[in-house]
PDB file of all heavy atoms in Angstrom:
ATOM      1  N   ASP W1417      40.811  92.768 -35.498  1.00 96.00           N
ATOM      2  CA  ASP W1417      42.223  93.131 -35.327  1.00 96.00           C
ATOM      3  C   ASP W1417      42.375  94.236 -34.287  1.00 96.00           C
ATOM      4  O   ASP W1417      43.303  94.213 -33.468  1.00 96.00           O
ATOM      5  CB  ASP W1417      42.809  93.595 -36.659  1.00 96.00           C
ATOM      6  CG  ASP W1417      42.926  92.467 -37.672  1.00 96.00           C
ATOM      7  OD1 ASP W1417      43.001  91.297 -37.248  1.00 96.00           O
ATOM      8  OD2 ASP W1417      42.942  92.755 -38.882  1.00 96.00           O
ATOM      9  N   HIS W1418      41.451  95.201 -34.308  1.00 98.00           N
ATOM     10  CA  HIS W1418      41.523  96.315 -33.352  1.00 98.00           C
ATOM     11  C   HIS W1418      41.335  95.818 -31.922  1.00 98.00           C
ATOM     12  O   HIS W1418      42.106  96.189 -31.019  1.00 98.00           O
ATOM     13  CB  HIS W1418      40.462  97.367 -33.686  1.00 98.00           C
ATOM     14  CG  HIS W1418      40.426  98.499 -32.708  1.00 98.00           C
ATOM     15  ND1 HIS W1418      39.393  98.657 -31.798  1.00 98.00           N
ATOM     16  CD2 HIS W1418      41.291  99.513 -32.475  1.00 98.00           C
ATOM     17  CE1 HIS W1418      39.639  99.726 -31.052  1.00 98.00           C
ATOM     18  NE2 HIS W1418      40.768 100.270 -31.445  1.00 98.00           N
ATOM     19  N   ILE W1419      40.346  94.962 -31.716  1.00 98.00           N
ATOM     20  CA  ILE W1419      40.072  94.453 -30.365  1.00 98.00           C
ATOM     21  C   ILE W1419      41.251  93.643 -29.846  1.00 98.00           C
ATOM     22  O   ILE W1419      41.704  93.821 -28.709  1.00 98.00           O
ATOM     23  CB  ILE W1419      38.781  93.606 -30.356  1.00 98.00           C
ATOM     24  CG1 ILE W1419      37.555  94.487 -30.666  1.00 98.00           C
ATOM     25  CG2 ILE W1419      38.598  92.917 -29.000  1.00 98.00           C
ATOM     26  CD1 ILE W1419      36.304  93.700 -30.984  1.00 98.00           C
ATOM     27  N   ARG W1420      41.777  92.766 -30.684  1.00 98.00           N
ATOM     28  CA  ARG W1420      42.934  91.957 -30.270  1.00 98.00           C
ATOM     29  C   ARG W1420      44.134  92.851 -29.940  1.00 98.00           C
ATOM     30  O   ARG W1420      44.875  92.598 -28.987  1.00 98.00           O
ATOM     31  CB  ARG W1420      43.293  90.946 -31.362  1.00 98.00           C
ATOM     32  CG  ARG W1420      42.366  89.732 -31.422  1.00 98.00           C
ATOM     33  CD  ARG W1420      42.915  88.656 -32.329  1.00 98.00           C
ATOM     34  NE  ARG W1420      42.884  89.056 -33.720  1.00 98.00           N
ATOM     35  CZ  ARG W1420      41.968  88.668 -34.606  1.00 98.00           C
ATOM     36  NH1 ARG W1420      40.991  87.850 -34.226  1.00 98.00           N
ATOM     37  NH2 ARG W1420      42.010  89.073 -35.861  1.00 98.00           N
ATOM     38  N   GLY W1421      44.314  93.913 -30.735  1.00 98.00           N
ATOM     39  CA  GLY W1421      45.415  94.829 -30.484  1.00 98.00           C
ATOM     40  C   GLY W1421      45.282  95.552 -29.161  1.00 98.00           C
ATOM     41  O   GLY W1421      46.260  95.683 -28.403  1.00 98.00           O
ATOM     42  N   VAL W1422      44.068  96.014 -28.854  1.00 98.00           N
ATOM     43  CA  VAL W1422      43.840  96.692 -27.575  1.00 98.00           C
ATOM     44  C   VAL W1422      44.088  95.723 -26.419  1.00 98.00           C
ATOM     45  O   VAL W1422      44.738  96.074 -25.419  1.00 98.00           O
ATOM     46  CB  VAL W1422      42.408  97.272 -27.505  1.00 98.00           C
ATOM     47  CG1 VAL W1422      42.105  97.797 -26.102  1.00 98.00           C
ATOM     48  CG2 VAL W1422      42.233  98.382 -28.529  1.00 98.00           C
ATOM     49  N   MET W1423      43.585  94.498 -26.549  1.00 98.00           N
ATOM     50  CA  MET W1423      43.781  93.516 -25.485  1.00 98.00           C
ATOM     51  C   MET W1423      45.261  93.226 -25.262  1.00 98.00           C
ATOM     52  O   MET W1423      45.740  93.172 -24.119  1.00 98.00           O
ATOM     53  CB  MET W1423      43.017  92.229 -25.810  1.00 98.00           C
ATOM     54  CG  MET W1423      41.513  92.369 -25.682  1.00 98.00           C
ATOM     55  SD  MET W1423      40.640  90.815 -26.053  1.00 98.00           S
ATOM     56  CE  MET W1423      38.955  91.260 -25.590  1.00 98.00           C
ATOM     57  N   LYS W1424      45.993  93.071 -26.348  1.00 98.00           N
ATOM     58  CA  LYS W1424      47.431  92.799 -26.226  1.00 98.00           C
ATOM     59  C   LYS W1424      48.143  93.966 -25.549  1.00 98.00           C
ATOM     60  O   LYS W1424      48.972  93.768 -24.644  1.00 98.00           O
ATOM     61  CB  LYS W1424      48.029  92.536 -27.605  1.00 98.00           C
ATOM     62  CG  LYS W1424      49.520  92.212 -27.567  1.00 98.00           C
ATOM     63  CD  LYS W1424      50.060  91.910 -28.960  1.00 98.00           C
ATOM     64  CE  LYS W1424      51.559  91.597 -28.903  1.00 98.00           C
ATOM     65  NZ  LYS W1424      52.108  91.305 -30.256  1.00 98.00           N
ATOM     66  N   ASN W1425      47.807  95.180 -25.969  1.00 98.00           N
ATOM     67  CA  ASN W1425      48.459  96.359 -25.394  1.00 98.00           C
ATOM     68  C   ASN W1425      48.130  96.542 -23.915  1.00 98.00           C
ATOM     69  O   ASN W1425      48.905  97.158 -23.171  1.00 98.00           O
ATOM     70  CB  ASN W1425      48.055  97.613 -26.168  1.00 98.00           C
ATOM     71  CG  ASN W1425      48.669  97.659 -27.557  1.00 98.00           C
ATOM     72  OD1 ASN W1425      49.696  97.023 -27.806  1.00 98.00           O
ATOM     73  ND2 ASN W1425      48.044  98.387 -28.474  1.00 98.00           N
ATOM     74  N   CYS W1426      46.977  96.003 -23.500  1.00 98.00           N
ATOM     75  CA  CYS W1426      46.572  96.125 -22.098  1.00 98.00           C
ATOM     76  C   CYS W1426      47.075  94.970 -21.236  1.00 98.00           C
ATOM     77  O   CYS W1426      46.765  94.912 -20.047  1.00 98.00           O
ATOM     78  CB  CYS W1426      45.052  96.225 -22.009  1.00 98.00           C
ATOM     79  SG  CYS W1426      44.379  97.804 -22.586  1.00 98.00           S
ATOM     80  N   GLY W1427      47.817  94.060 -21.842  1.00 98.00           N
ATOM     81  CA  GLY W1427      48.420  93.001 -21.042  1.00 98.00           C
ATOM     82  C   GLY W1427      47.741  91.655 -21.093  1.00 98.00           C
ATOM     83  O   GLY W1427      48.043  90.784 -20.262  1.00 98.00           O
ATOM     84  N   ALA W1428      46.825  91.442 -22.049  1.00 98.00           N
ATOM     85  CA  ALA W1428      46.196  90.126 -22.168  1.00 98.00           C
ATOM     86  C   ALA W1428      47.248  89.068 -22.471  1.00 98.00           C
ATOM     87  O   ALA W1428      48.130  89.264 -23.317  1.00 98.00           O
ATOM     88  CB  ALA W1428      45.130  90.138 -23.267  1.00 98.00           C
ATOM     89  N   MET W1429      47.164  87.942 -21.782  1.00 98.00           N
ATOM     90  CA  MET W1429      48.085  86.845 -22.041  1.00 98.00           C
ATOM     91  C   MET W1429      47.737  86.130 -23.346  1.00 98.00           C
ATOM     92  O   MET W1429      48.594  85.506 -23.968  1.00 98.00           O
ATOM     93  CB  MET W1429      48.065  85.863 -20.873  1.00 98.00           C
ATOM     94  CG  MET W1429      48.512  86.483 -19.565  1.00 98.00           C
ATOM     95  SD  MET W1429      48.531  85.295 -18.204  1.00 98.00           S
ATOM     96  CE  MET W1429      49.913  84.250 -18.657  1.00 98.00           C
ATOM     97  N   ALA W1430      46.468  86.213 -23.745  1.00 98.00           N
ATOM     98  CA  ALA W1430      46.016  85.650 -25.018  1.00 98.00           C
ATOM     99  C   ALA W1430      44.748  86.370 -25.421  1.00 98.00           C
ATOM    100  O   ALA W1430      43.988  86.854 -24.561  1.00 98.00           O
ATOM    101  CB  ALA W1430      45.757  84.146 -24.894  1.00 98.00           C
ATOM    102  N   SER W1431      44.501  86.471 -26.714  1.00 98.00           N
ATOM    103  CA  SER W1431      43.220  86.973 -27.207  1.00 98.00           C
ATOM    104  C   SER W1431      42.868  86.192 -28.457  1.00 98.00           C
ATOM    105  O   SER W1431      43.751  85.841 -29.252  1.00 98.00           O
ATOM    106  CB  SER W1431      43.269  88.477 -27.504  1.00 98.00           C
ATOM    107  OG  SER W1431      44.180  88.756 -28.530  1.00 98.00           O
ATOM    108  N   CYS W1432      41.578  85.897 -28.622  1.00 98.00           N
ATOM    109  CA  CYS W1432      41.169  85.006 -29.700  1.00 98.00           C
ATOM    110  C   CYS W1432      39.663  85.152 -29.928  1.00 98.00           C
ATOM    111  O   CYS W1432      38.920  85.518 -29.014  1.00 98.00           O
ATOM    112  CB  CYS W1432      41.496  83.563 -29.318  1.00 98.00           C
ATOM    113  SG  CYS W1432      41.263  82.350 -30.639  1.00 98.00           S
ATOM    114  N   MET W1433      39.232  84.851 -31.129  1.00 98.00           N
ATOM    115  CA  MET W1433      37.814  84.832 -31.437  1.00 98.00           C
ATOM    116  C   MET W1433      37.190  83.568 -30.849  1.00 98.00           C
ATOM    117  O   MET W1433      37.810  82.507 -30.811  1.00 98.00           O
ATOM    118  CB  MET W1433      37.621  84.867 -32.952  1.00 98.00           C
ATOM    119  CG  MET W1433      36.211  85.148 -33.418  1.00 98.00           C
ATOM    120  SD  MET W1433      36.146  85.390 -35.219  1.00 98.00           S
ATOM    121  CE  MET W1433      36.442  83.700 -35.780  1.00 98.00           C
ATOM    122  N   SER W1434      35.944  83.677 -30.402  1.00 98.00           N
ATOM    123  CA  SER W1434      35.205  82.524 -29.891  1.00 98.00           C
ATOM    124  C   SER W1434      34.265  82.000 -30.968  1.00 98.00           C
ATOM    125  O   SER W1434      33.557  82.774 -31.610  1.00 98.00           O
ATOM    126  CB  SER W1434      34.401  82.903 -28.648  1.00 98.00           C
ATOM    127  OG  SER W1434      33.733  81.768 -28.128  1.00 98.00           O
ATOM    128  N   GLY W1435      34.249  80.692 -31.162  1.00 96.00           N
ATOM    129  CA  GLY W1435      33.369  80.102 -32.157  1.00 96.00           C
ATOM    130  C   GLY W1435      33.657  80.668 -33.535  1.00 96.00           C
ATOM    131  O   GLY W1435      34.808  80.898 -33.912  1.00 96.00           O
TER     132      GLY W1435
END
Side-chain angles (χ1 to χ4, degrees):
D1417 292 336
H1418 177 252
I1419 294 167
R1420 283 191 291 259
V1422 172
M1423 288 181 172
K1424 181 178 180 180
N1425 289 337
C1426 288
M1429 298 182 70
S1431 63
C1432 188
M1433 193 172 71
S1434 182

